[in-house]
Amino acid sequence: MSTSPIRIAIAGALGRMGQAVAKVAEGDPALTVAARFDRPGATGDGLVSQAEALAAADVVIDFTTPAASVALAAAGADAGVALVIGSTGAGDAERAAIAAAAARTPIVFAGNFSLGVNLLMGLVAQAARALPADTWDIEIFEAHHKHKVDAPSGTALMLGEAAAAGRGVALDQVARRARDGITGARPPGEIGFSVLRGGGIVGEHTVTFAGEEEILTLSHSGRDRALFARGAAHAARWVAGRPPGLYDMQDVLGTKGP
């Protein structure tokens, strides 16, 4: 078996996460940074075109935007390159396009690459199953830095999906993403979302189960973007050489249920 490092290309290399991924990968003996690229026309030391990056890599790690990720997934599938995609805010059409590309190449697509967050999802689903929807309200709070452009975060939506799955319902049927003015009493079973944007907050997520007599709070705090970069690097090691398919971090960590 070859012991050569896995060659990775970093999309959005000039961004915060791109730089964090590069730093983590450079310290990982199982990986080598074969190429770095950013949006067309971007300039910087060592940047290459997307086509050059795909030709040089086994796996591309992408923390850009949903639109850019869709185009990259299609190009990666054409080139036979695996992808790790961490862009958030994708709509149904963009998710479907990434899934279509995954029919031709392996893709790990996740809203969060943290081990802690992915374990939190399981705890949220378990609590939602155990606590009756007619007497326990669920509210998901998330906070991120002021530069984040989508809300709620992809991680908050993942937690919402976990809560909804625990209750056996579809999230889009019970989600309340905003409240303003005279909103009326909270209906039973609603899963609410609250958002804060400010400063340099890396990522805070809290799921509150509020009953009449007691409150259960499950939370996760991200202290450094290296947390997510390390998870993406772990996913890159895992996905290299896998058969085509759409995977998530539950697959990578082996925590997905039957």
Side-chain angles (χ1 to χ4, degrees):
M1 181 179 294
S2 172
T3 57
S4 299
I6 297 164
R7 300 170 302 160
I8 68 165
I10 301 172
L14 299 180
R16 293 169 179 243
M17 277 305 304
Q19 294 177 56
V21 168
K23 185 174 181 180
V24 167
E26 286 164 0
D28 189 333
L31 303 175
T32 185
V33 179
R36 299 165 58 250
F37 65 104
D38 209 282
R39 64 177 61 86
T43 59
D45 184 33
L47 291 183
V48 301
S49 69
Q50 176 176 292
E52 290 173 301
L54 290 173
D58 301 310
V59 182
V60 177
I61 298 179
D62 167 40
F63 285 92
T64 55
T65 66
S69 295
V70 166
L72 178 59
D78 289 341
V81 176
L83 294 103
V84 173
I85 298 177
S87 57
T88 63
D92 290 342
E94 291 158 328
R95 290 178 177 276
I98 291 171
R104 299 188 289 135
T105 197
I107 297 176
V108 177
F109 182 32
N112 192 297
F113 284 86
S114 158
L115 172 61
V117 163
N118 282 278
L119 292 174
L120 175 61
M121 288 171 59
L123 296 173
V124 167
Q126 183 178 358
R129 274 194 300 272
L131 302 174
D134 59 343
T135 54
W136 288 82
D137 300 317
I138 300 176
E139 190 76 13
I140 299 169
F141 168 78
E142 60 98 343
H144 283 85
H145 55 85
K146 62 186 177 184
H147 302 290
K148 187 169 178 60
V149 299
D150 60 303
S153 69
T155 301
L157 293 172
M158 287 167 57
L159 292 168
E161 293 283 1
R167 287 183 166 176
V169 297
L171 179 61
D172 60 0
Q173 298 300 309
V174 295
R176 173 72 71 89
R177 296 201 181 193
R179 298 185 184 89
D180 184 48
I182 307 301
T183 60
R186 181 177 185 137
E190 181 178 270
I191 297 176
F193 291 86
S194 305
V195 174
L196 183 155
R197 292 287 177 268
I201 301 170
V202 172
E204 305 282 334
H205 294 88
T206 299
V207 182
T208 299
F209 293 82
E212 290 290 343
E213 297 90 11
E214 55 186 328
I215 295 174
L216 171 66
T217 301
L218 302 172
S219 65
H220 177 273
S221 297
R223 299 305 188 192
D224 191 297
R225 286 180 184 82
L227 163 72
F228 309 115
R230 278 193 292 272
H234 184 71
R237 294 192 299 271
W238 182 88
V239 79
R242 295 274 171 180
L246 185 63
Y247 304 101
D248 59 24
M249 279 300 285
Q250 304 290 311
D251 295 303
V252 174
L253 297 172
T255 56
K256 181 165 283 186

